[in-house]
Coordinates of all heavy atoms in Angstrom, one line a residue:
M212 N 145.2 86.7 102.2 CA 145.6 87.3 103.5 C 144.4 88.2 103.9 O 143.8 88.9 103.1 CB 146.8 88.2 103.2 CG 148.1 87.7 103.7 SD 149.4 89.0 103.7 CE 150.1 88.6 102.2
K213 N 144.2 88.2 105.2 CA 143.2 89.1 105.7 C 143.7 90.5 105.7 O 144.9 90.8 105.7 CB 142.9 88.7 107.2 CG 142.2 87.3 107.2 CD 141.8 87.0 108.7 CE 141.2 85.7 108.7 NZ 140.8 85.3 110.1
L214 N 142.7 91.5 105.7 CA 143.1 92.9 105.7 C 144.0 93.3 106.8 O 145.0 94.1 106.6 CB 141.8 93.8 105.6 CG 142.1 95.3 105.5 CD1 142.8 95.6 104.2 CD2 140.8 96.0 105.5
R215 N 143.7 92.8 108.0 CA 144.5 93.2 109.2 C 146.0 92.7 109.0 O 146.9 93.4 109.3 CB 144.0 92.5 110.4 CG 144.6 93.0 111.7 CD 143.8 92.5 112.9 NE 144.2 93.2 114.0 CZ 143.4 94.2 114.6 NH1 142.2 94.4 114.1 NH2 143.8 94.8 115.6
K216 N 146.2 91.5 108.4 CA 147.5 91.0 108.1 C 148.2 91.8 107.0 O 149.4 92.0 107.0 CB 147.5 89.5 107.8 CG 147.5 88.6 109.0 CD 147.7 87.2 108.5 CE 148.2 86.3 109.6 NZ 148.5 85.0 109.1
L217 N 147.4 92.2 106.0 CA 147.9 92.9 104.9 C 148.5 94.2 105.3 O 149.4 94.7 104.7 CB 146.8 93.1 103.8 CG 147.1 93.6 102.5 CD1 148.1 92.7 101.8 CD2 145.9 93.9 101.7
L218 N 147.9 94.8 106.3 CA 148.4 96.1 106.7 C 149.4 96.1 107.9 O 149.9 97.1 108.3 CB 147.2 97.0 107.2 CG 146.2 97.3 106.1 CD1 145.0 98.0 106.7 CD2 146.8 98.0 104.9
S219 N 149.8 94.9 108.3 CA 150.7 94.7 109.4 C 152.2 94.8 109.0 O 152.6 94.1 108.1 CB 150.4 93.3 110.0 OG 151.5 93.0 111.0
L220 N 152.9 95.7 109.6 CA 154.3 95.8 109.4 C 155.1 94.6 109.8 O 156.0 94.2 109.1 CB 154.9 97.1 110.1 CG 156.3 97.4 109.8 CD1 156.5 97.7 108.4 CD2 156.7 98.6 110.7
K221 N 154.7 93.9 110.8 CA 155.3 92.7 111.3 C 155.1 91.6 110.2 O 156.1 90.9 109.9 CB 154.7 92.3 112.6 CG 155.4 91.0 113.2 CD 154.8 90.7 114.5 CE 155.4 89.4 115.1 NZ 154.8 89.0 116.3
Q222 N 153.9 91.5 109.6 CA 153.7 90.5 108.6 C 154.6 90.7 107.4 O 155.1 89.8 106.8 CB 152.2 90.5 108.2 CG 151.9 89.5 107.1 CD 152.0 88.1 107.5 OE1 152.0 87.7 108.7 NE2 152.1 87.2 106.5
W223 N 154.7 92.0 107.0 CA 155.5 92.3 105.8 C 157.0 92.1 106.0 O 157.7 91.6 105.1 CB 155.2 93.7 105.2 CG 153.9 93.7 104.5 CD1 152.7 94.2 104.9 CD2 153.6 93.0 103.2 NE1 151.8 94.0 103.9 CE2 152.3 93.3 102.9 CE3 154.4 92.3 102.3 CZ2 151.7 92.8 101.8 CZ3 153.8 91.8 101.2 CH2 152.5 92.0 100.9
S224 N 157.5 92.4 107.2 CA 158.9 92.1 107.5 C 159.1 90.6 107.5 O 160.2 90.1 107.0 CB 159.3 92.7 108.8 OG 158.6 92.1 109.9
H225 N 158.2 89.8 108.0 CA 158.2 88.4 107.9 C 158.3 87.9 106.4 O 159.1 87.0 106.1 CB 157.0 87.8 108.6 CG 156.8 86.3 108.4 ND1 157.6 85.3 109.0 CD2 156.0 85.6 107.6 CE1 157.2 84.2 108.6 NE2 156.2 84.3 107.8
I226 N 157.4 88.5 105.6 CA 157.4 88.1 104.2 C 158.7 88.4 103.5 O 159.2 87.6 102.7 CB 156.1 88.7 103.5 CG1 154.9 88.0 104.0 CG2 156.3 88.6 102.0 CD1 153.6 88.7 103.5
F227 N 159.2 89.6 103.7 CA 160.4 90.0 103.0 C 161.6 89.2 103.4 O 162.4 88.7 102.6 CB 160.7 91.5 103.3 CG 159.9 92.5 102.5 CD1 159.1 93.4 103.1 CD2 159.9 92.5 101.1 CE1 158.3 94.3 102.4 CE2 159.1 93.3 100.4 CZ 158.3 94.2 101.0
R228 N 161.7 88.9 104.7 CA 162.8 88.2 105.2 C 162.7 86.7 104.7 O 163.7 86.2 104.2 CB 162.8 88.2 106.7 CG 163.9 87.5 107.4 CD 163.9 87.6 109.0 NE 162.6 87.2 109.5 CZ 161.7 88.1 110.0 NH1 162.0 89.4 110.0 NH2 160.6 87.7 110.6
N229 N 161.6 86.1 104.8 CA 161.4 84.7 104.4 C 161.4 84.5 102.9 O 161.9 83.4 102.5 CB 160.2 84.1 105.1 CG 160.3 83.9 106.5 OD1 161.4 84.0 107.1 ND2 159.3 83.5 107.2
S230 N 161.0 85.4 102.2 CA 161.0 85.2 100.7 C 162.4 85.1 100.2 O 162.7 84.2 99.4 CB 160.2 86.3 100.0 OG 160.9 87.5 100.2
W231 N 163.3 85.9 100.7 CA 164.7 85.8 100.3 C 165.3 84.5 100.8 O 166.1 83.9 100.1 CB 165.5 87.0 100.8 CG 166.9 87.0 100.5 CD1 168.0 86.8 101.3 CD2 167.5 87.0 99.1 NE1 169.1 86.8 100.6 CE2 168.9 86.9 99.2 CE3 166.9 87.2 97.9 CZ2 169.7 86.9 98.1 CZ3 167.8 87.2 96.8 CH2 169.1 87.1 96.9
Q232 N 165.0 84.1 102.0 CA 165.6 82.9 102.6 C 165.1 81.7 101.8 O 165.9 80.8 101.6 CB 165.2 82.7 104.1 CG 165.8 83.8 105.0 CD 167.3 83.7 104.9 OE1 167.9 82.7 104.9 NE2 167.9 84.9 105.0
Y233 N 163.9 81.7 101.4 CA 163.4 80.5 100.6 C 164.0 80.5 99.2 O 164.3 79.5 98.6 CB 161.9 80.5 100.4 CG 161.2 80.1 101.7 CD1 160.2 80.9 102.3 CD2 161.4 78.9 102.3 CE1 159.5 80.5 103.5 CE2 160.7 78.5 103.4 CZ 159.8 79.3 104.0 OH 159.2 78.9 105.1
V234 N 164.3 81.7 98.6 CA 164.8 81.7 97.3 C 166.3 81.3 97.3 O 166.7 80.6 96.4 CB 164.7 83.2 96.7 CG1 165.6 83.3 95.4 CG2 163.3 83.5 96.4
I235 N 167.0 81.6 98.3 CA 168.5 81.2 98.3 C 168.7 79.8 99.0 O 169.8 79.3 99.0 CB 169.3 82.3 99.0 CG1 169.0 82.4 100.5 CG2 169.3 83.6 98.3 CD1 169.9 83.3 101.2
S236 N 167.7 79.2 99.6 CA 167.8 78.0 100.3 C 168.1 76.8 99.3 O 167.4 76.6 98.4 CB 166.6 77.6 101.1 OG 166.7 76.4 101.7
P237 N 169.1 76.0 99.6 CA 169.3 74.8 98.7 C 168.3 73.7 99.0 O 168.2 72.8 98.2 CB 170.8 74.4 99.2 CG 170.9 74.9 100.5 CD 170.1 76.2 100.6
N238 N 167.5 73.8 100.0 CA 166.5 72.8 100.3 C 165.2 73.0 99.6 O 164.4 72.1 99.6 CB 166.3 72.7 101.8 CG 167.5 72.4 102.6 OD1 168.3 71.7 102.2 ND2 167.6 73.0 103.8
V239 N 165.0 74.1 99.0 CA 163.8 74.4 98.2 C 164.1 74.0 96.8 O 165.1 74.3 96.2 CB 163.4 75.9 98.3 CG1 162.2 76.2 97.5 CG2 163.1 76.2 99.8
A240 N 163.1 73.3 96.2 CA 163.3 72.8 94.8 C 163.4 74.0 93.8 O 162.7 75.1 94.0 CB 162.1 72.0 94.4
M241 N 164.2 73.9 92.8 CA 164.3 74.9 91.8 C 163.0 75.3 91.1 O 162.8 76.5 90.8 CB 165.4 74.5 90.8 CG 165.7 75.6 89.8 SD 166.4 77.1 90.5 CE 168.0 76.5 90.9
S242 N 162.2 74.3 90.9 CA 160.9 74.6 90.3 C 160.0 75.5 91.2 O 159.3 76.4 90.7 CB 160.1 73.3 90.0 OG 159.9 72.6 91.2
D243 N 160.1 75.4 92.5 CA 159.4 76.3 93.4 C 160.0 77.7 93.4 O 159.2 78.7 93.4 CB 159.4 75.7 94.8 CG 158.6 74.5 95.0 OD1 157.6 74.3 94.3 OD2 159.0 73.7 95.9
K244 N 161.3 77.8 93.3 CA 161.9 79.1 93.2 C 161.5 79.8 91.9 O 161.3 81.0 91.9 CB 163.4 79.0 93.3 CG 163.9 78.4 94.6 CD 165.4 78.2 94.6 CE 165.9 77.6 95.8 NZ 167.4 77.4 95.8
L245 N 161.5 79.0 90.8 CA 161.2 79.6 89.5 C 159.7 80.0 89.4 O 159.4 81.0 88.7 CB 161.6 78.6 88.4 CG 163.1 78.4 88.2 CD1 163.3 77.3 87.1 CD2 163.8 79.7 87.8
L246 N 158.9 79.3 90.2 CA 157.5 79.7 90.2 C 157.2 81.1 90.7 O 156.3 81.7 90.4 CB 156.7 78.6 91.0 CG 155.2 78.6 90.9 CD1 154.7 78.3 89.5 CD2 154.6 77.6 91.9
F247 N 158.1 81.5 91.5 CA 158.1 82.9 92.1 C 158.9 83.9 91.2 O 158.4 84.9 90.9 CB 158.6 82.9 93.5 CG 158.8 84.3 94.1 CD1 157.8 85.2 94.3 CD2 160.1 84.7 94.4 CE1 158.1 86.4 94.8 CE2 160.4 85.9 94.9 CZ 159.3 86.8 95.1
T248 N 160.1 83.5 90.9 CA 161.0 84.5 90.3 C 160.7 84.8 88.8 O 160.8 86.0 88.4 CB 162.5 84.0 90.3 OG1 162.6 82.7 89.8 CG2 163.0 84.0 91.8
I249 N 160.2 83.8 88.0 CA 159.9 84.1 86.6 C 158.8 85.1 86.5 O 158.9 86.0 85.7 CB 159.6 82.7 85.9 CG1 160.9 81.8 85.9 CG2 159.1 83.0 84.5 CD1 162.1 82.4 85.1
P250 N 157.6 84.9 87.1 CA 156.6 85.9 87.0 C 157.0 87.3 87.4 O 156.6 88.3 86.8 CB 155.4 85.4 87.8 CG 155.6 83.9 87.9 CD 157.1 83.8 87.9
V251 N 157.8 87.4 88.5 CA 158.2 88.7 89.0 C 159.1 89.4 88.0 O 159.0 90.5 87.6 CB 158.9 88.6 90.4 CG1 159.6 89.8 90.7 CG2 157.9 88.2 91.4
I252 N 160.1 88.6 87.5 CA 161.1 89.2 86.5 C 160.3 89.6 85.2 O 160.6 90.6 84.7 CB 162.2 88.2 86.2 CG1 163.1 88.0 87.4 CG2 163.0 88.6 85.0 CD1 164.1 86.9 87.4
L253 N 159.4 88.7 84.8 CA 158.7 89.1 83.6 C 157.8 90.3 83.8 O 157.7 91.1 82.8 CB 157.8 87.9 83.1 CG 158.5 86.7 82.5 CD1 157.5 85.6 82.2 CD2 159.2 87.2 81.2
Y254 N 157.2 90.4 84.9 CA 156.4 91.6 85.1 C 157.2 92.9 85.2 O 156.8 93.9 84.8 CB 155.5 91.5 86.4 CG 154.4 92.5 86.4 CD1 153.2 92.2 85.8 CD2 154.6 93.7 87.1 CE1 152.2 93.2 85.8 CE2 153.6 94.7 87.1 CZ 152.4 94.4 86.4 OH 151.4 95.3 86.4
W255 N 158.4 92.8 85.8 CA 159.3 94.0 85.8 C 159.9 94.3 84.5 O 160.1 95.5 84.1 CB 160.4 93.7 86.8 CG 160.0 94.0 88.2 CD1 159.2 93.2 89.0 CD2 160.3 95.1 89.0 NE1 159.0 93.8 90.2 CE2 159.7 95.0 90.3 CE3 161.0 96.3 88.8 CZ2 159.7 95.9 91.3 CZ3 161.1 97.3 89.8 CH2 160.5 97.0 91.0
V256 N 160.2 93.3 83.6 CA 160.8 93.6 82.4 C 159.8 93.9 81.3 O 160.0 94.7 80.4 CB 161.6 92.3 81.9 CG1 162.2 92.5 80.5 CG2 162.8 92.1 82.9
L257 N 158.6 93.3 81.4 CA 157.5 93.5 80.4 C 156.3 94.2 81.1 O 155.3 93.6 81.1 CB 157.1 92.2 79.8 CG 158.2 91.3 79.2 CD1 157.7 90.0 78.8 CD2 158.8 92.0 77.9
P258 N 156.4 95.4 81.5 CA 155.3 96.0 82.2 C 154.1 96.3 81.3 O 153.0 96.5 81.8 CB 155.9 97.3 82.8 CG 157.0 97.6 81.9 CD 157.6 96.3 81.4
D259 N 154.3 96.3 80.0 CA 153.2 96.6 79.1 C 152.4 95.3 78.8 O 151.5 95.3 77.9 CB 153.7 97.3 77.9 CG 154.2 98.6 78.2 OD1 153.7 99.3 79.1 OD2 155.1 99.1 77.5
F260 N 152.8 94.2 79.4 CA 152.1 92.9 79.1 C 150.6 93.1 79.5 O 149.8 92.5 78.9 CB 152.8 91.8 79.9 CG 152.2 90.5 79.7 CD1 152.2 89.9 78.4 CD2 151.5 89.8 80.7 CE1 151.7 88.6 78.2 CE2 151.0 88.6 80.5 CZ 151.0 88.0 79.2
M261 N 150.4 93.8 80.7 CA 149.0 94.0 81.1 C 148.8 95.5 81.3 O 148.8 96.0 82.5 CB 148.7 93.2 82.4 CG 148.8 91.8 82.2 SD 148.4 90.8 83.7 CE 149.8 91.2 84.8
P262 N 148.7 96.3 80.2 CA 148.7 97.7 80.4 C 147.5 98.3 81.0 O 147.5 99.5 81.5 CB 148.8 98.2 78.9 CG 148.2 97.1 78.1 CD 148.6 95.8 78.9
F263 N 146.4 97.6 81.1 CA 145.2 98.2 81.7 C 144.9 98.0 83.1 O 143.9 98.4 83.7 CB 143.9 97.8 80.8 CG 144.1 98.2 79.4 CD1 144.3 97.3 78.4 CD2 144.1 99.5 79.0 CE1 144.4 97.6 77.1 CE2 144.2 99.9 77.7 CZ 144.4 98.9 76.7
L264 N 145.9 97.3 83.8 CA 145.8 97.1 85.2 C 146.5 98.2 86.0 O 147.7 98.5 85.7 CB 146.4 95.7 85.6 CG 145.6 94.5 85.1 CD1 146.3 93.2 85.6 CD2 144.2 94.5 85.7
P265 N 145.8 98.8 86.9 CA 146.5 99.9 87.6 C 147.4 99.6 88.8 O 147.5 100.3 89.7 CB 145.2 100.7 88.1 CG 144.2 99.7 88.3 CD 144.4 98.7 87.3
I266 N 148.0 98.4 88.7 CA 148.8 97.9 89.8 C 150.3 98.1 89.3 O 150.6 97.6 88.2 CB 148.6 96.4 90.1 CG1 147.1 96.3 90.5 CG2 149.5 95.9 91.2 CD1 146.7 94.8 90.7
D267 N 151.1 98.7 90.1 CA 152.5 98.9 89.7 C 153.3 97.7 90.0 O 152.9 96.7 90.6 CB 153.1 100.1 90.3 CG 153.2 100.0 91.8 OD1 152.7 99.1 92.4 OD2 153.8 100.9 92.4
D268 N 154.6 97.7 89.6 CA 155.5 96.6 89.7 C 155.7 96.2 91.2 O 155.8 95.0 91.5 CB 156.8 96.9 89.1 CG 156.7 97.2 87.6 OD1 155.7 96.8 87.0 OD2 157.6 97.8 87.1
I269 N 155.9 97.1 92.1 CA 156.1 96.8 93.5 C 154.9 96.1 94.1 O 155.0 95.1 94.8 CB 156.4 98.1 94.3 CG1 157.6 98.8 93.7 CG2 156.5 97.8 95.8 CD1 158.9 98.1 94.0
G270 N 153.7 96.5 93.7 CA 152.5 95.9 94.3 C 152.4 94.5 93.8 O 152.0 93.6 94.6
V271 N 152.6 94.2 92.6 CA 152.5 92.8 92.0 C 153.6 92.0 92.7 O 153.4 90.8 93.1 CB 152.7 92.8 90.5 CG1 152.9 91.4 90.0 CG2 151.5 93.5 89.9
T272 N 154.8 92.5 92.9 CA 155.9 91.8 93.5 C 155.5 91.4 94.9 O 155.8 90.3 95.4 CB 157.2 92.6 93.5 OG1 157.5 92.9 92.1 CG2 158.3 91.8 94.1
M273 N 155.0 92.4 95.7 CA 154.6 92.2 97.1 C 153.5 91.1 97.2 O 153.5 90.3 98.1 CB 154.2 93.5 97.7 CG 155.4 94.4 97.9 SD 155.0 96.0 98.6 CE 154.4 95.6 100.2
L274 N 152.5 91.2 96.3 CA 151.5 90.1 96.3 C 152.0 88.8 96.0 O 151.7 87.8 96.7 CB 150.4 90.5 95.3 CG 149.5 91.7 95.7 CD1 148.6 92.0 94.5 CD2 148.7 91.4 96.9
L275 N 152.9 88.7 95.0 CA 153.5 87.4 94.7 C 154.4 86.9 95.9 O 154.5 85.7 96.1 CB 154.3 87.5 93.4 CG 153.5 87.5 92.2 CD1 154.4 87.7 90.9 CD2 152.8 86.1 92.0
M276 N 155.1 87.8 96.5 CA 155.9 87.4 97.7 C 155.1 86.8 98.8 O 155.5 85.8 99.4 CB 156.7 88.6 98.2 CG 157.9 89.0 97.4 SD 158.7 90.5 97.9 CE 159.0 90.4 99.6
G277 N 153.9 87.5 99.1 CA 153.0 86.9 100.1 C 152.5 85.6 99.8 O 152.5 84.7 100.6
W278 N 152.2 85.4 98.5 CA 151.7 84.1 98.1 C 152.9 83.0 98.2 O 152.7 81.9 98.6 CB 151.2 84.1 96.6 CG 151.0 82.8 96.0 CD1 149.9 82.0 96.2 CD2 151.8 82.1 95.1 NE1 150.0 80.9 95.5 CE2 151.2 80.9 94.8 CE3 153.1 82.4 94.6 CZ2 151.8 80.0 94.0 CZ3 153.7 81.5 93.7 CH2 153.0 80.3 93.4
F279 N 154.0 83.4 97.7 CA 155.2 82.5 97.7 C 155.6 82.1 99.1 O 155.8 80.9 99.4 CB 156.4 83.2 97.0 CG 157.6 82.4 97.0 CD1 157.8 81.3 96.3 CD2 158.7 82.8 97.8 CE1 159.0 80.5 96.2 CE2 159.9 82.1 97.8 CZ 160.0 81.0 97.0
V280 N 155.6 83.0 100.0 CA 156.0 82.7 101.4 C 155.0 81.8 102.1 O 155.3 80.8 102.7 CB 156.3 84.0 102.2 CG1 156.4 83.6 103.7 CG2 157.5 84.7 101.8
S281 N 153.7 82.1 101.9 CA 152.7 81.2 102.5 C 152.7 79.8 101.9 O 152.6 78.8 102.6 CB 151.3 81.8 102.4 OG 150.9 81.9 101.0
R282 N 153.0 79.7 100.6 CA 153.1 78.4 99.9 C 154.3 77.6 100.4 O 154.2 76.4 100.7 CB 153.2 78.6 98.4 CG 153.2 77.3 97.6 CD 153.0 77.6 96.1 NE 152.9 76.4 95.4 CZ 153.9 75.6 94.9 NH1 155.1 76.0 95.1 NH2 153.6 74.5 94.2
M283 N 155.4 78.3 100.6 CA 156.6 77.6 101.0 C 156.6 77.2 102.5 O 157.1 76.2 102.9 CB 157.9 78.5 100.8 CG 158.2 78.8 99.3 SD 158.6 77.3 98.4 CE 157.1 77.1 97.4
E284 N 155.9 78.0 103.3 CA 155.7 77.7 104.7 C 154.9 76.4 104.9 O 155.1 75.6 105.8 CB 155.1 78.8 105.5 CG 156.1 79.9 105.7 CD 155.4 81.2 106.4 OE1 154.2 81.2 106.4 OE2 156.1 82.0 106.8
H285 N 153.9 76.2 104.0 CA 153.2 75.0 104.0 C 153.9 73.8 103.4 O 153.8 72.7 103.9 CB 151.8 75.2 103.3 CG 150.9 76.1 104.0 ND1 150.4 75.8 105.2 CD2 150.4 77.3 103.6 CE1 149.6 76.8 105.6 NE2 149.6 77.7 104.6
K286 N 154.6 74.0 102.3 CA 155.3 72.9 101.7 C 156.6 72.5 102.4 O 157.0 71.4 102.4 CB 155.7 73.4 100.2 CG 156.1 72.3 99.4 CD 156.1 72.6 97.9 CE 156.5 71.4 97.1 NZ 156.5 71.8 95.6
Y287 N 157.3 73.5 103.0 CA 158.6 73.2 103.7 C 158.5 73.7 105.1 O 159.2 74.7 105.5 CB 159.8 73.9 103.0 CG 160.0 73.5 101.5 CD1 159.5 74.2 100.5 CD2 160.6 72.3 101.2 CE1 159.6 73.9 99.1 CE2 160.8 71.9 99.9 CZ 160.3 72.7 98.9 OH 160.5 72.3 97.6
P288 N 157.7 73.1 105.9 CA 157.6 73.6 107.3 C 158.8 73.5 108.2 O 159.0 74.3 109.0 CB 156.5 72.7 107.9 CG 156.4 71.5 107.1 CD 156.9 71.9 105.7
A289 N 159.7 72.6 107.8 CA 161.0 72.5 108.6 C 161.9 73.7 108.4 O 162.7 74.0 109.3 CB 161.7 71.2 108.2
L290 N 161.8 74.3 107.2 CA 162.7 75.5 107.0 C 162.3 76.7 107.8 O 163.1 77.5 108.2 CB 162.7 75.8 105.5 CG 163.4 74.8 104.5 CD1 163.2 75.2 103.1 CD2 164.8 74.6 104.9
G291 N 161.0 76.9 108.0 CA 160.5 78.0 108.7 C 160.6 77.8 110.2 O 160.6 78.8 111.0
A292 N 160.7 76.6 110.7 CA 160.7 76.3 112.1 C 162.0 76.8 112.8 O 162.0 77.2 114.0 CB 160.6 74.8 112.4
G293 N 163.1 76.8 112.1 CA 164.4 77.3 112.6 C 164.6 78.8 112.8 O 165.5 79.2 113.3
R294 N 163.6 79.5 112.3 CA 163.8 81.0 112.3 C 163.0 81.6 113.4 O 162.0 81.4 113.8 CB 163.4 81.5 110.9 CG 164.3 81.1 109.9 CD 163.9 81.7 108.5 NE 164.8 81.1 107.6 CZ 164.3 80.4 106.5 NH1 163.1 80.4 106.3 NH2 165.1 79.8 105.7

């Protein structure tokens, strides 16, 4: 993501809204959903897994959400077109 998009409130509202829609959608493969949810859950449950990184749980989750939404928009373009 470019810095301008990274700081955009509109972009983050798009990411938050679509990440949840992709996770609950029956049209998205379970493996794609797990590719996002497993790392997030593990990072939240095991925060000492990477103790020397100064990034907190919310930051890691937001970065993974941005990656997940951009990946799903490319992989499932029909799901994003209706919104």
Side-chain angles (χ1 to χ4, degrees):
M212 256 194 264
K213 293 183 179 180
L214 183 59
R215 189 173 198 105
K216 275 188 160 184
L217 188 63
L218 299 175
S219 170
L220 184 60
K221 183 178 178 182
Q222 177 68 18
W223 283 109
S224 67
H225 167 79
I226 288 172
F227 283 120
R228 182 177 52 254
N229 286 352
S230 63
W231 179 248
Q232 293 300 320
Y233 286 123
V234 169
I235 65 170
S236 174
N238 299 327
V239 176
M241 184 59 73
S242 60
D243 290 330
K244 295 175 186 180
L245 292 176
L246 191 61
F247 167 66
T248 55
I249 296 297
V251 168
I252 290 170
L253 284 176
Y254 196 86
W255 278 76
V256 174
L257 305 170
D259 293 329
F260 182 66
M261 296 185 291
F263 299 112
L264 291 178
I266 301 173
D267 66 352
D268 299 342
I269 299 291
V271 170
T272 303
M273 289 175 66
L274 289 174
L275 284 172
M276 282 172 52
W278 170 80
F279 176 70
V280 168
S281 66
R282 185 172 188 271
M283 293 300 107
E284 286 173 344
H285 291 299
K286 192 167 182 176
Y287 300 99
L290 291 177
R294 295 185 187 122

